Amino acid sequence: MTRKEPADTPLGDEFHLYDTTLRDGAQREGISYSATDKLAVARLLDELGVGFIEGGWPGALPKDTEFFARAAKGELALKHAALVAFGATRKAGAKASEDKQVRALLDSQAPVVTLVAKSDLRHIERALRVDVDEACAMVRDTVSFLVGEGRRVFLDAEHFFDGYAYDPDTSLRVLDAAATAGADVVVLCDTNGGQLPLGLAETVRAVGERTGFRLGIHCQDDTSCAVANSVAAVQAGATHVQCTANGYGERAGNADLFAVTGNLVTKLGMEVLPTGGAAELSRVSHALAEIANIAPDTHQAYVGSSAFAHKAGLHASAIKVDPLLYNHIDPASVGNDMRVLVTEMAGRASLELKGRELGVDLAGQPEALTSAVNKVKRLEAGGWSFEAADASLELLLRREVDGPQNRVLDNPPFELESYRVVLDHRSDGEVVSEATVKVHVAGKRVIATAEGNGPVHALDAALRQALSPYLSWLDTVELADYKVRILPGHPGTDAVTRVLVETTDGSREWTTVGVHGNIVEASWLALCDALVHKSLSVAGA
Ligand SMILES: CC(=O)SCCNC(=O)CCNC(=O)[C@H](O)C(C)(C)COP(=O)(O)OP(=O)(O)OC[C@H]1O[C@@H](n2cnc3c(N)ncnc32)[C@H](O)[C@@H]1OP(=O)(O)O
Ligand SMILES: CC(=O)C(=O)O
């Protein structure tokens, strides 16, 4: 077994970006990776270019043992990262070479081993029930045994910050036992996650000065400061930082790999990933969320889909001049995109930028722009929401800009004469909805009736029946999602219903909105916008 150097990043072994998603991340309530999931996670982390991937605790967890066995058999061909096995030191009073758990670390064939050891006197005495001499011997023996077997060894000094505040000598003795036995890095762990950045950085600096050891940092997120604490530790001299994808981890979680890396790369100018790696952060974050079966956090720093989404009109007016005036970095540098949201908070600049995104040129059309802004504000005040309904917004903008010149909007694919929906509660308890629509299409008056399992379904079916002989594309179009929100009315008025309809034609999706006091009418408005939007794209208008 040869020692493996970490990723081929410009910083090489000078700085370690160390991922523990597969061990600490898996300690998050609700996550349960299979060995196959673990292999997929490791491949993505390797593609990103992290230096070390902690795969789990072989010997303690059967899935982790399986993961390492499959990795060793060639199912995991890492290009950048070194694989790390995690485990505890030998038991008290035992020999490292005979400790089953320690042997399992060797058997994993991982080239790197991270050992966890208690470094707080209270834990040593009360949880391990040994004295400090034996605690240090457990560390020393295990590190030297594994180093003798050709492993690179890191030591996770559990509860370091709490222990150092309580009894610094004991905590430093544990670090010393590891370093003098050959551990490459001693990792200061904020295991209970209670630290704040200034105090933590002070301790990291002091320990670095007192010991001269290579220091790492591992922060839990119980004060919501894990990312800040990790970055502060690096600024105070730590050259090895442990994180997890999207901050998954025990209790409140761990330091988010994507935010830590984003900060190190874009704020501190540290090349901790191979060239091009930073631009993969958003993609890898979302892919890892899928494997964990956790919806991505849209507001996650750097990689969330809202991380560069601007709602306030004043932001948009400056962004129109230069996007960097309101973005802390270029979103593309971390693989993300800027978006402008149009809501009641929009101003003319927001609409002009959004129009550009939707292919509607509003530049040099001040009157249309002012009229569109006023319309959006009035509609939003009445319960409409365009934030998630780009297709309806596009129609609104086109109506303002193109007006009668637009051949589809001026001559829509169909016109409604009337619709009627009845609900039939039958004697056998079955409830059936029936809708009749009367529409004008291709110069003809068409009447169609259909049943459905609800009023909107019946209405959609009747409309399709009426239109499909005349609109060749209609069969390709289907409802992908339908969301209803009942909005509280103003005092003394009725509630308002907002319906969002997502439609697909197999190659793209678009979302429309309808708002009305009646749920069927709100749905009708959203359905009609969906079809008009499709005919616009068919006509290329
Ligand atoms: C801070 C962290 O998150 S570290 C990562 C923690 N991760 C996990 O615990 C997940 C995997 N853990 C497991 O599967 C099990 O807890 C095992 C296999 C490790 C141990 O299981 P068991 O042998 O049943 O012991 P149990 O979990 O009850 O207690 C831990 C034992 O390890 C000892 N121990 C705890 N920490 C250490 C340490 N750093 N070094 C050596 N021994 C330790 C305890 O004193 C206790 O010993 P005892 O049984 O002689 O009293
Ligand atoms: C090692 C570890 O996970 C901790 O101390 O929190």
Side-chain angles (χ1 to χ4, degrees):
M1 177 64 55
T2 52
R3 285 160 64 107
K4 172 103 166 56
E5 299 306 328
D8 50 352
T9 62
L11 285 174
D13 198 40
E14 272 173 53
F15 189 87
H16 296 170
L17 188 60
Y18 181 112
D19 180 274
T20 172
T21 305
L22 294 174
R23 198 273 303 168
D24 204 326
Q27 287 173 226
R28 173 181 159 131
E29 183 173 12
I31 288 191
S32 175
Y33 293 121
S34 66
T36 302
D37 290 337
K38 285 183 153 235
L39 289 163
V41 169
R43 285 185 198 109
L44 280 162
L45 291 168
D46 185 51
E47 267 175 37
L48 182 66
V50 305
F52 295 89
I53 299 172
E54 191 175 275
W57 191 334
L61 306 170
K63 276 190 293 193
D64 291 8
T65 309
E66 180 190 342
F67 164 80
F68 282 102
R70 287 171 63 179
K73 276 192 198 137
E75 280 193 57
L76 191 61
L78 297 177
K79 289 194 208 76
H80 296 289
L83 191 58
V84 184
F86 176 93
T89 60
R90 69 158 171 83
K91 292 259 182 195
K95 276 182 125 182
S97 58
E98 289 168 11
D99 186 300
K100 264 176 37 195
Q101 293 275 342
V102 175
R103 289 231 73 95
L105 295 170
L106 280 184
D107 293 344
S108 74
Q109 299 188 45
V112 184
V113 173
T114 292
L115 291 172
V116 62
K118 303 210 182 282
S119 60
D120 178 330
L121 179 63
R122 292 159 298 185
H123 279 265
I124 290 171
E125 290 181 343
R126 293 170 62 196
L128 278 184
R129 296 180 305 278
V130 297
D131 61 19
V132 178
D133 287 342
E134 174 60 2
C136 290
M138 287 158 72
V139 171
R140 195 179 309 109
D141 292 352
T142 318
V143 172
S144 56
F145 171 68
L146 291 169
V147 170
E149 293 289 329
R151 301 305 190 270
R152 186 172 194 183
V153 179
F154 303 146
L155 184 91
D156 274 2
E158 219 192 323
H159 298 286
F160 182 82
F161 292 93
D162 300 328
Y164 185 78
Y166 179 72
D167 176 35
D169 285 348
T170 297
S171 305
L172 292 174
R173 278 186 63 192
V174 174
L175 299 189
D176 188 66
T180 52
D184 277 354
V185 182
V186 287
V187 183
L188 311 185
C189 298
D190 182 19
T191 305
N192 289 356
Q195 300 296 308
L196 296 176
L198 290 184
L200 177 134
E202 219 169 90
T203 304
V204 172
R205 192 169 289 112
V207 171
E209 282 167 6
R210 282 180 75 169
T211 65
F213 299 152
R214 181 170 188 175
L215 301 183
I217 185 74
H218 174 114
C219 295
Q220 299 295 141
D221 201 26
D222 301 70
T223 53
S224 206
C225 287
V227 170
N229 284 343
S230 303
V231 173
V234 170
Q235 289 178 305
T239 57
H240 164 122
V241 62
Q242 301 194 350
C243 327
T244 62
N246 305 322
Y248 303 148
E250 186 90 32
R251 305 186 306 281
N254 208 293
D256 173 14
L257 168 73
F258 302 104
V260 169
T261 308
N263 286 328
L264 296 181
V265 172
T266 70
K267 307 298 171 190
L268 302 186
M270 294 175 64
E271 297 184 88
V272 299
L273 290 175
T275 311
E280 296 296 314
L281 287 171
S282 299
R283 177 184 72 81
V284 173
S285 162
H286 298 158
L288 292 173
E290 287 301 326
I291 299 174
N293 200 19
I294 291 175
D297 174 3
T298 53
H299 299 282
Q300 193 173 345
Y302 289 99
V303 297
S305 60
S306 299
F308 300 94
H310 297 272
K311 194 158 171 173
L314 290 187
H315 290 211
S317 78
I319 284 169
K320 213 179 90 179
V321 179
D322 178 355
L324 279 182
L325 287 174
Y326 258 107
N327 286 317
H328 70 115
I329 53 163
D330 174 3
S333 66
V334 289
N336 210 337
D337 276 330
M338 187 187 79
R339 291 185 301 127
V340 174
L341 307 174
V342 168
T343 70
E344 64 193 346
M345 290 187 203
R348 282 172 300 146
S350 319
L351 272 194
E352 190 181 328
L353 285 173
K354 189 71 189 179
R356 219 184 272 170
E357 210 179 294
L358 296 172
V360 187
D361 186 7
L362 287 144
Q365 307 216 42
E367 281 171 18
L369 209 46
T370 304
S371 163
V373 170
N374 292 339
K375 202 174 257 183
V376 166
K377 283 190 188 284
R378 188 165 30 81
L379 288 169
E380 291 251 343
W384 291 70
S385 171
F386 292 100
E387 200 173 85
D390 274 2
S392 286
L393 182 67
E394 186 185 331
L395 292 179
L396 183 152
L397 294 181
R398 287 197 187 282
R399 283 184 181 116
E400 291 300 325
V401 177
D402 304 350
Q405 282 110 58
N406 188 301
R407 58 186 191 280
V408 173
L409 295 177
D410 194 40
N411 184 19
F414 65 94
E415 274 185 71
L416 175 73
E417 183 182 309
S418 66
Y419 70 73
R420 191 175 61 225
V421 182
V422 290
L423 202 66
D424 194 7
H425 183 127
R426 295 180 179 159
S427 56
D428 59 2
E430 199 185 352
V431 180
V432 175
S433 300
E434 186 183 292
T436 299
V437 296
K438 296 179 185 173
V439 291
H440 295 263
V441 54
K444 296 196 173 62
R445 181 172 184 257
V446 183
I447 302 175
T449 298
E451 287 184 338
N453 52 18
V456 178
H457 183 217
L459 195 56
D460 184 44
L463 187 62
R464 282 171 180 279
Q465 197 176 304
L467 301 182
S468 59
Y470 305 96
L471 304 179
S472 56
W473 43 262
L474 194 61
D475 286 347
T476 64
V477 170
E478 55 184 55
L479 203 71
D481 198 6
Y482 174 85
K483 289 194 192 103
V484 181
R485 173 115 186 256
I486 307 295
L487 307 168
H490 300 293
T493 63
D494 288 334
V496 171
T497 306
R498 179 163 71 218
V499 168
L500 281 173
V501 161
E502 190 183 318
T503 311
T504 179
D505 59 8
S507 59
R508 65 181 189 99
E509 286 92 41
W510 61 102
T511 304
T512 49
V513 59
V515 172
H516 199 270
N518 184 302
I519 186 172
V520 178
E521 178 62 11
S523 308
W524 170 262
L525 293 171
L527 282 174
C528 284
D529 260 11
L531 296 184
V532 173
H533 191 269
K534 171 69 186 176
S535 37
L536 265 184
S537 71
V538 170

